Amino acid sequence: MRGALPVAAAAGVLLLAGCSPSDTQSPGAASSAGGSPAPSAAPNGLLTVPHDADEETKKQYLYQNAIAECMRAKGFSYTPHVEDADDGPPLPIDGQDYKLSKEYRGKYGYGFSYARVVYPDDPNVIGSETSTDEEHPNAAYRETLTPAQLRAYDKALGEWRVQDGQKLESPGCRKAADVKAYGPEKPKAERDREEEAAKAADRAAQQAVDGDPRLVSLAQDYASCLRAEGIAVTTTQPTSISDMVKFQVNSHVPADGWENLDKETARTELAQEIGTALKDLECGKKFRAAYFPKLAENPFVGAGG
């Protein structure tokens, strides 16, 4: 993977380099907080690559440091940063840890919809005012530049966009850093072969999970329990049923939008959501105890929990 693409870029939006948005981060719940420390900076202003980082993470550090060195050589400042480097553990919503999930769901439900209205400042709630990313580290510097300087800065850094699934970069420090950290772009035919191989491996991994006889049986029991609790069942596929109820609940949006929902109504709705979330957790307890180990053996892109 060459320089992780922000969500906006994946949608084909032209981004000014140096202003790329970060993906939404989900801080760990209070009972499991304490994420990794933020990347440390060396005296020269570059990031120190963690000695225990995997190869992909090391490349991200090299990529950011290369941009900083290149921009400095062109007379500009650039603060290297590796997104998500200081994420804490994920919120215990999915039921993989039954005890933590029961504690979490007992207060927040699925932690997204009504919880963000009832607990707007709680970092354990997805979408709360305190769970969003901090300002981009280069934003303050960019604001000090005149319009002409800003145009020169962006030209030096380089702009990029995604078109027809391909990352297109104009000449600049980002493109040079991309090559330095990840190597020259592979020919399209080779990239296509690798993509198809990855998709085939993904399909095989998902089939290994969905085709496991024990999981199929446990998923049927899980579904029967949900129906007995009055909860609609739309799938019994092992790789889908674990998140099924959560997605059903989170798909509901108030007619006037979340921003206009009063707290009293939200508290009432959240109480109902908590009840549903706890029933879902109990019904799927045995299934999840077998599902997550199997998923760890056969991970695939898009696997939820």
Side-chain angles (χ1 to χ4, degrees):
M1 180 171 154
R2 301 173 61 85
L5 305 185
V7 174
V13 180
L14 177 61
L15 300 174
L16 281 178
C19 285
S20 57
S22 301
D23 293 334
T24 301
Q25 298 179 7
S26 300
S31 56
S32 60
S36 306
S40 58
N44 60 3
L46 302 181
L47 296 176
T48 300
V49 183
H51 69 279
D52 57 348
D54 57 39
E55 287 304 311
E56 178 59 34
T57 301
K58 288 180 181 178
K59 288 178 181 178
Q60 292 178 35
Y61 277 82
L62 292 174
Y63 173 70
Q64 285 293 320
N65 283 343
I67 293 177
E69 290 179 314
C70 177
M71 290 297 286
R72 185 179 301 170
K74 293 178 181 289
F76 292 105
S77 172
Y78 179 89
T79 301
H81 60 285
V82 175
E83 295 171 0
D84 298 336
D86 59 351
D87 269 358
L91 296 172
I93 300 171
D94 59 14
Q96 183 171 4
D97 186 311
Y98 172 79
K99 184 178 179 181
L100 286 179
S101 291
K102 186 173 184 179
E103 179 183 346
Y104 184 90
R105 292 190 185 194
K107 180 177 180 179
Y108 304 108
Y110 291 108
F112 173 74
S113 54
Y114 298 104
R116 61 179 169 169
V117 178
V118 177
Y119 305 106
D121 301 316
D122 194 325
N124 295 323
V125 175
I126 301 170
S128 70
E129 295 176 8
T130 56
S131 70
T132 55
D133 289 352
E134 296 180 358
E135 187 179 53
H136 193 282
N138 291 295
Y141 173 74
R142 290 172 58 86
E143 290 177 358
T144 68
L145 303 178
T146 66
Q149 289 172 330
L150 186 57
R151 287 194 295 271
Y153 179 94
D154 288 332
K155 183 177 180 181
L157 192 53
E159 297 175 350
W160 63 271
R161 60 193 171 91
V162 173
Q163 180 176 314
D164 298 328
Q166 184 178 1
K167 180 179 177 181
L168 303 178
E169 295 178 289
S170 62
C173 288
R174 290 186 66 149
K175 187 169 185 177
D178 203 335
V179 173
K180 186 173 182 179
Y182 296 92
E185 187 77 28
K186 295 178 180 178
K188 185 178 185 302
E190 185 176 350
R191 296 199 308 272
D192 289 345
R193 285 195 299 271
E194 290 180 351
E195 183 178 352
E196 286 304 313
K199 288 180 179 178
D202 242 28
R203 289 192 295 268
Q206 182 172 0
Q207 182 54 44
V209 178
D210 281 332
D212 184 282
R214 181 166 178 249
L215 285 182
V216 170
S217 177
L218 288 171
Q220 292 292 340
D221 294 340
Y222 181 5
S224 296
C225 179
L226 290 175
R227 292 190 185 100
E229 292 288 355
I231 299 173
V233 174
T234 58
T235 180
T236 58
Q237 186 180 35
T239 54
S240 300
I241 192 171
S242 185
D243 274 337
M244 178 191 66
V245 182
K246 178 179 71 177
F247 289 151
Q248 287 175 358
V249 170
N250 287 344
S251 66
H252 172 70
V253 178
D256 295 330
W258 295 109
E259 66 278 5
N260 297 316
L261 188 66
D262 65 277
K263 277 195 174 183
E264 203 55 48
T265 300
R267 286 192 184 95
T268 301
E269 296 292 342
L270 178 59
Q272 296 180 5
E273 180 181 322
I274 287 172
T276 298
L278 290 175
K279 289 175 183 177
D280 175 30
L281 183 67
E282 293 298 328
C283 283
K285 184 176 181 180
K286 290 183 179 179
F287 169 79
R288 291 188 177 95
Y291 171 71
F292 282 104
K294 186 71 176 182
L295 180 62
E297 295 173 0
N298 302 275
F300 63 94
V301 176

